[in-house]
Amino acid sequence: PQRIGVVARLTGRCMTEAELSEKPPIDLVAAVDVSGSMAPAIDLLRQTMGFVTKELRSCDRLSIVTFASDAVVLLPHTAMNAEGKAAAATAIAQIRAGGATNFSGGVLTSLSELKMARITSNQDKVSPAAVVVLTDGHPTAGIQGPVKIKQAIQAAHADIGFTAPLFTFGFS
């Protein structure tokens, strides 16, 4: 089969500073696949994470979870003020590819990190929270198979007390 790469740029209406200041803080966890199969895309992955970090407001909070054979919290829940963005940049620069792809471990660790973020920041369950998964989508370790992974995610959502959206972006 032939593979075609597509790059899309979406542009929305720019919000004013007043509109932005009225928005509640966002709790975002990036689950980043750093397995060996991601080696060809690792620079693009770092650039993507740099873009995400740059776009977050100082009141927004970011966690970075990397996953290969194991899942690791690379950046704990951090406000994206100047100091937090510097910490995120340092963490992103450390990203290296290697190992298996424990997709389930990455997602479940991310949901656990989101739960802890909500507890420590006293955020209610109404303010925006999400997990963004950056992967090539080839699990080789951890829970295998879409049905079992879905069941594990549903159990994790029950544990954290709310359903956090999972957004997945593919690299190949």
Side-chain angles (χ1 to χ4, degrees), residues 33-112:
D33 182 351
V34 295
S35 64
S37 62
M38 289 292 290
I42 207 73
D43 288 333
L44 180 58
L45 187 122
R46 283 191 210 107
Q47 289 173 4
T48 301
M49 285 304 306
F51 173 78
V52 167
T53 302
K54 178 179 161 266
E55 294 301 313
L56 291 171
R57 300 168 298 160
S58 62
C59 62
D60 297 330
R61 293 167 299 269
L62 174 68
S63 301
I64 300 174
V65 173
T66 58
F67 63 95
S69 299
D70 296 307
V72 175
V73 178
L74 189 61
L75 179 74
H77 195 59
T78 304
M80 287 292 99
N81 53 27
E83 184 178 303
K85 287 185 182 201
T90 299
I92 292 164
Q94 295 173 9
I95 291 175
R96 303 283 182 272
T101 307
N102 187 346
F103 177 84
S104 62
V107 171
L108 297 176
T109 300
S110 296
L111 290 169
S112 178

Side-chain angles (χ1 to χ4, degrees), residues 1-5 172:
Q2 182 182 7
R3 288 188 164 200
I4 299 173
S172 62

